[in-house]
């Protein structure tokens, strides 16, 4: 993530009303913040994050709106001034003719009532037109407007310290024209979509639930191909470590969270410089390049200049995310907030080489997908006789087939580090097809907005279900079936987690949870560990050591010679899962 604001970057802007607005900083534009005003985007480009700006509207002194950086000393001075205003109030009980209603056990008054305060429109001498005129004046500073509003309030001296602080804070949120710029990370984006947009687009995933998913899935950066390094140039797709399998119905929020942990979400400086360099052979609208279209170009040059990021040889073999989706194209619209464009013609983003996607049809029945079938192969002479447009279409189909076939074959070969699922599809069907693609010890994490589907998974992977499955092992059509929709011997150590962080108001004598919090689904997370069940028989052979058998008639201990072999047909040991000992099942036979 950059330390300063870059052109065309998405940023989170916190307004005085504590609302968050996400904007793309496009050069030579004037973004609007609603009633707080607008500002030229060029004034914040190149500046560091976490700065607070004050909007200065245009007037006789300036032709267009401008910005002023609010210093840290000024921010702390405002906070200190508010605290002093509350502390400097006249102690309760020293005013004559006032009623009190809150006393301590000793009988001393600690708070006076505000039951007689009538805070209506008659207490404010300034009208709405006069306040608007102040806002449009030459010295339209937010602090000056607030000061004049407080001076014109006729019942200000009747307010308690708490009511005065709340009244002042309410006016500051309304009239201060300040905003703070924050970098847009995944947590900030999830909070923005959940509170400001439609939370159903992300399956109502909150920030704390997202942290639980990332923690239990153990997502981290790793592998031989790290961000900033060149991808492997060989055509072999070797199975490497740190490869994650994802099913994401949250518009790409889950993919973004994994990519952030893996260090492949934000473009690096090298990618930005590479994207800024001119591209001489960039295709134009008619499918030809800016160079002479009649020039004879080789097959290798054509395949590397157009859509270089789709070349299967440029995909990384490790530190990758493979998304399985149910549509023609994956819905990862939220990745656009992090400068990722799947249709980009240049590899300026790490996700171009570390993010792969395929449909369920391509995974389960690849031969039925048209893009997986190899197109016809033409000879060099036939290619040279084609027109420029048809030649471009031919190479585009070949590149698409190589890319799709390589991703599908690599995914079907398995060996993934973990599986993360957030989908509205049947969870048992997803796990039935994807859990066998994981390697031993991989983490399985499943999120659902409702707990009922997760409770079904807990039952299908329980010890009782596993014991019943082992007793009937060998029957045809056992998995999937109504009784065993998944193989219970592939996942163990299951657990179900639910968490919800409730915001609290923490003030002296007024600490309580906020009653205006947003509702919605609680959400739950199912976790488990992929295991490799033993196939076939287990046999152990060896010599027994001499052992003591006890004291004989003469009081001396006897020593027995041991020898022979032990053969175990099948045995299942006790397993400790989530603090509960599973039932020991199995039998031992032919022990010699």
């Amino acid at each position: 993530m950059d330390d300063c604001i870059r052109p065309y970057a998405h940023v989170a802007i916190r307004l005085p009303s504590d609302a968050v607005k996400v904007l793309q900083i496009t050069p030579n534009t004037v973004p609007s913040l609603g009633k707080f005003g607008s500002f030229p985007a060029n004034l914040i480009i190149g500046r560091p994050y976490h700065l607070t700006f004050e909007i200065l509207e245009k007037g006789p002194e300036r032709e267009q709106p401008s910005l002023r950086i609010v210093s840290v000393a000024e921010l702390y001075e405002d906070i200190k001034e508010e605290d002093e205003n509350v502390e400097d109030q006249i102690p309760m009980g020293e005013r004559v003719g006032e009623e009190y209603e809150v006393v301590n056990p000793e009988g001393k008054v600690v708070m006076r009532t505000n039951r007689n305060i009538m805070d209506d429109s008659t207490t404010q001498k300034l009208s709405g037109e006069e306040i608007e005129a102040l806002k449009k004046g030459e010295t339209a500073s937010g602090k000056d407007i607030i000061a004049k509003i407080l001076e014109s309030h006729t019942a200000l001296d009747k307010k308690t310290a708490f009511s005065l602080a709340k009244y002042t804070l309410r006016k500051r949120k309304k009239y201060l024209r300040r905003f703070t710029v924050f970098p847009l990370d995944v947590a900030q984006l999830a909070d923005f979509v959940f509170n400001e947009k439609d939370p159903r687009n992300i399956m109502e995933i909150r920030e704390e639930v997202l942290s639980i998913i990332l923690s239990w899935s153990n997502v981290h950066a790793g592998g031989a191909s790290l961000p900033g390094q060149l991808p492997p140039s060989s055509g072999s797709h070797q199975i490497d470590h740190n490869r994650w399998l994802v099913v994401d119905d949250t518009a790409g929020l889950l993919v973004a969270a994994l990519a952030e942990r893996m260090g492949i979400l934000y473009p690096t400086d090298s990618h930005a410089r590479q994207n800024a360099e001119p591209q001489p052979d960039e295709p134009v609208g008619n499918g030809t390049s800016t160079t002479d279209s009649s020039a004879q170009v080789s097959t290798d040059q054509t395949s590397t200049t157009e859509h270089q990021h789709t070349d299967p040889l440029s995909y990384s073999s490790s530190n990758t995310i493979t998304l399985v989706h149910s549509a023609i194209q994956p819905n990862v619209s939220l990745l656009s907030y992090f400068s990722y464009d799947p249709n980009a013609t240049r590899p300026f983003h790490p996700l171009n080489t570390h993010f792969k996607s395929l449909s369920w049809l391509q995974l389960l029945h690849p031969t039925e997908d048209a893009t997986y079938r190899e197109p016809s192969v033409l000879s060099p002479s036939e290619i040279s006789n084609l027109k420029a447009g048809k030649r471009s279409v031919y190479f585009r189909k070949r590149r698409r087939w190589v890319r799709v076939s390589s991703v599908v074959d690599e995914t079907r070969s398995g060996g993934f580090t973990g599986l993360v699922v957030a989908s509205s599809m049947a969870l048992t069907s997803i796990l039935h097809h994807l859990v066998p693609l994981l390697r031993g010890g991989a983490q399985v994490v499943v999120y659902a907005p409702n707990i009922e589907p997760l409770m079904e998974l807990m039952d299908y992977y329980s010890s009782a279900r596993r014991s019943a499955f082992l007793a009937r092992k060998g029957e045809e059509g056992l998995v999937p079936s109504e009784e065993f929709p998944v193989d219970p011997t592939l996942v163990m150590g299951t657990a179900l987690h639910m968490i919800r962080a409730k915001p609290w108001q923490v003030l002296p004598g007024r600490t309580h949870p906020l009653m205006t919090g947003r509702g919605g689904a609680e959400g739950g997370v199912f976790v488990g560990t992929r295991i490799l069940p033993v196939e076939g028989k287990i046999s152990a052979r060896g010599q027994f050591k001499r052992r003591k058998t006890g004291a004989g008639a003469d009081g001396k201990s006897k020593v027995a010679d041991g020898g022979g072999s032990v053969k175990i047909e099948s045995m299942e040991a006790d397993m400790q899962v989530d603090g509960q000992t599973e039932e020991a099942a199995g039998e031992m036979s032919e022990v010699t």
Side-chain angles (χ1 to χ4, degrees), residues 336-355:
S336 61
Y337 287 99
F338 305 99
S339 304
Y340 172 70
D341 184 8
N343 299 320
T345 58
R346 305 196 63 188
F348 68 94
H349 201 284
L351 289 178
N352 291 135
T353 56
H354 294 266
F355 176 62

Side-chain angles (χ1 to χ4, degrees), residues 246-469:
V246 181
V247 180
D248 184 6
D249 285 351
T250 62
L253 180 65
L254 194 60
V255 173
L258 269 68
E260 187 179 38
R261 286 290 184 93
M262 299 168 65
I264 56 177
L265 181 61
Y266 306 104
T268 59
D269 293 339
S270 60
H271 289 104
R273 288 192 299 268
Q274 185 180 8
N275 185 45
E277 294 176 358
Q279 185 177 5
D281 293 332
E282 186 175 358
V284 294
N286 58 0
T288 60
S289 62
T290 55
T291 57
D292 187 8
S293 60
S294 61
Q296 295 294 333
V297 293
S298 63
T299 304
D300 296 337
Q301 291 176 344
T302 307
S303 60
T304 56
T305 55
E306 297 182 5
H307 304 285
Q308 181 181 0
H309 74 282
T310 60
D311 189 346
L313 303 182
S314 65
Y315 275 134
S316 175
S317 60
S318 63
N319 208 44
T320 60
I321 300 175
T322 302
L323 175 65
V324 184
H325 57 88
S326 57
I328 300 177
Q329 295 292 334
N331 180 16
V332 288
S333 58
L334 292 182
L335 292 181
S336 61
Y337 287 99
F338 305 99
S339 304
Y340 172 70
D341 184 8
N343 299 320
T345 58
R346 305 196 63 188
F348 68 94
H349 201 284
L351 289 178
N352 291 135
T353 56
H354 294 266
F355 176 62
K356 312 171 186 179
S357 63
L358 73 161
S359 64
W360 284 103
L361 178 63
Q362 294 172 343
L363 177 64
L364 303 180
H365 308 285
T367 56
E368 299 179 6
D369 184 69
T371 58
Y372 186 79
R373 293 192 291 267
E374 183 178 5
S376 58
V377 180
L378 301 180
S379 61
S381 59
E382 294 175 338
I383 295 175
S384 60
N385 295 330
L386 295 176
K387 294 183 179 180
K390 293 185 177 181
R391 187 188 307 118
S392 178
V393 172
Y394 169 76
F395 286 124
R396 189 183 305 116
K397 290 183 178 180
R398 294 291 301 180
R399 288 193 302 270
R400 183 181 62 180
W401 169 76
V402 175
R403 184 187 75 250
V404 171
S405 61
S406 62
V407 173
V408 171
D409 295 341
E410 179 184 348
T411 304
R412 290 172 62 89
S413 62
F416 286 92
T417 308
L419 171 64
V420 183
V421 178
S423 176
S424 57
M425 298 174 57
L427 300 181
T428 54
S429 177
I430 294 176
L431 297 187
H432 169 66
H433 294 290
L434 298 186
V435 168
L437 300 179
L438 305 179
R439 68 183 186 183
Q443 294 296 314
V444 179
V445 180
V446 181
Y447 166 80
N450 302 317
I451 195 175
E452 287 77 14
L454 304 180
M455 293 298 296
E456 293 181 359
L457 293 182
M458 292 291 296
D459 175 48
Y460 291 143
Y461 287 109
S462 62
S463 59
R465 189 82 61 165
R466 186 182 301 111
S467 301
F469 180 82

